[in-house]
Amino acid sequence: MDRAALDAALSSGVVCGGWCPPGRTAEDGLIPEHYPLKEIVKGGYRQRTLKNVQDSDATLIIYFNELSGGTALTVAFCLKQKKPFKLIDGDEIDAQRAAQLIKAFIDRHAVRTLNVAGPRAGGESRAYSYTYQILLKALGGE
C-alpha cells in the first residue's frame, strides 16, 4: 500500500516522503532507496505509523471489507491525534468514485501533506493496484 502511494505520487510529479522503520525494512525485504523516506530512530511499524499520522495534515485509509491490524491502528492514531481521515473501502467504491472522494477530502481539509495507509500487499492482493489507480486519478496523473 505504501509503495503504491509513493509510486503514484512520483509518477504524478507530486512531492512525497514519510517515515519507515530503521534499516528501511519492509515485509518483503528492504525498501529501495529511490523512495524518499526517512528512517525513524527507534521503534518499528507502530512508531512509523504514528509518526506518519502526526506529520501529515490528514490520512487516507484504504481497506477492503473490514479494518484490521495496522490499518485499524491508523484510525485509532488519527482519532487520538485529532487528525482528519477518509476511509475508502475498495470492495465497495470503484476507482473513479474513490478518486472523486479523495479530491473532495483534500479540498475540504486544505490538505498539503496526505498520509496514505492500508493493508500490506501480502495481506490483500488488490491493495497495490487499487491504491495506485485511485491516487493516480486523484492526483491528476491519469
Side-chain angles (χ1 to χ4, degrees), residues 46-98:
R46 181 181 182 89
Q47 291 75 21
R48 179 263 344 237
T49 298
L50 176 58
K51 190 87 169 121
N52 282 327
V53 167
Q54 290 172 331
D55 286 357
S56 64
D57 299 320
T59 298
L60 170 64
I61 300 167
I62 300 164
Y63 68 103
F64 296 85
N65 191 37
E66 65 181 55
L67 295 166
S68 62
T71 308
L73 179 64
T74 303
V75 173
F77 284 153
C78 289
L79 291 168
K80 186 172 184 177
Q81 298 292 316
K82 296 181 169 67
K83 297 278 189 144
F85 62 94
K86 178 69 177 170
L87 295 168
I88 299 286
D89 183 349
D91 276 347
E92 299 290 330
I93 304 171
D94 70 48
Q96 189 62 42
R97 180 67 180 137

Side-chain angles (χ1 to χ4, degrees), residues 2-3 19-33 37-40 43-45 48 120:
D2 297 344
R3 287 192 215 164
W19 295 93
C20 66
R24 299 180 70 87
T25 57
E27 68 175 337
D28 63 344
L30 296 180
I31 299 167
E33 289 294 326
L37 300 174
K38 299 175 277 189
E39 295 178 41
I40 58 172
Y45 291 107
R48 179 263 344 237
R120 294 180 182 177

Side-chain angles (χ1 to χ4, degrees), residues 4 8 95-96 99 127-138 142:
Q96 189 62 42
Y128 182 93
S129 61
Y130 182 80
T131 302
Y132 182 80
Q133 184 181 17
I134 67 174
L135 286 174
L136 206 58
K137 289 176 185 299
E142 183 179 279

Side-chain angles (χ1 to χ4, degrees), residues 111-129:
V111 176
R112 292 180 45 89
T113 303
L114 179 67
N115 179 35
V116 179
R120 294 180 182 177
E124 175 51 64
S125 61
R126 300 169 289 172
Y128 182 93
S129 61

